[in-house]
Amino acid sequence: MKQRVTGIGGFFFKTKDPSKIKDWYKTHLGFNTDQYGCSFWWKDQKGNDCMTQWSPFAEDTTYFQPSEKQFMMNFRVENLVELLETLKKEGVTVVGEIEEYDYGKFGWIMDPEGNKLELWEPVDKAFL
C-alpha cells in the first residue's frame, strides 16, 4: 500500500458567524478569504502544487456528524478506495460512502475519541 496520509488537506470548524470570522482573519491575519474560507497553496516534496483549506462552518452544521466536536480535520491521501478498505479491515469506523468531484474523492472515518476525519484524494489542478 502507498503512503496513507500525505498532508493536511483542511481544517474546518464551527462558528457563530462564518462571514464575520472570515472577515476577522482577513483583516487581522491577512487571510485571502472567499466564500469557502481560505486556500493555502504549497508544493510537496516532488514539486507538485498542493492546497490546504481553512473553512469556518455555521455552528449548526450537520457536516461533522456523527461527531459532536466543534471541528473536523481533512487529511490528504493517495488512494482513498484502497485506504478505506484497509481501514475497514483494521476495525476503523467508516462513515457514509465515497463522494467524487472534479477536485477529488472524499471519504470519512471516526477516530477513537469521536472525531470525524475527512480523507481527501485531491485533484489540486482543478483549483489552478
Side-chain angles (χ1 to χ4, degrees):
M1 174 172 216
K2 295 180 181 183
Q3 183 177 355
R4 293 182 183 202
V5 171
T6 61
I8 296 174
F11 181 75
F12 312 132
F13 62 99
K14 296 178 183 181
T15 183
K16 291 179 173 88
D17 187 337
S19 293
K20 187 175 181 179
I21 202 75
K22 283 188 282 187
D23 288 343
W24 188 94
Y25 277 82
K26 182 176 188 172
T27 299
H28 298 289
L29 296 178
F31 281 29
N32 184 18
T33 57
D34 61 19
Q35 68 185 20
Y36 302 108
C38 182
S39 300
F40 293 93
W41 286 94
W42 49 278
K43 294 200 181 278
D44 66 12
Q45 291 179 333
K46 297 175 187 172
N48 298 311
D49 289 320
C50 300
M51 189 261 293
T52 297
Q53 183 67 34
W54 171 90
S55 294
F57 281 71
E59 65 184 345
D60 62 352
T61 185
T62 59
Y63 192 64
F64 302 174
Q65 290 182 351
S67 175
E68 294 299 320
K69 304 291 177 114
Q70 294 297 109
F71 65 91
M72 182 175 71
M73 294 175 284
N74 169 299
F75 294 106
R76 299 168 61 90
V77 301
E78 284 193 352
N79 187 329
L80 180 63
V81 173
E82 183 180 336
L83 177 55
L84 287 176
E85 289 172 6
T86 300
L87 292 171
K88 280 182 192 176
K89 291 176 187 170
E90 294 173 350
V92 174
T93 301
V94 175
V95 178
E97 300 295 324
I98 292 174
E99 294 183 17
E100 191 167 352
Y101 303 91
D102 60 345
Y103 48 90
K105 295 178 190 171
F106 294 85
W108 299 268
I109 61 172
M110 299 296 288
D111 79 6
E113 293 195 1
N115 296 303
K116 185 178 179 184
L117 306 175
E118 186 170 67
L119 304 178
W120 174 37
E121 182 180 330
V123 179
D124 291 300
K125 63 184 175 188
F127 298 104
L128 297 174

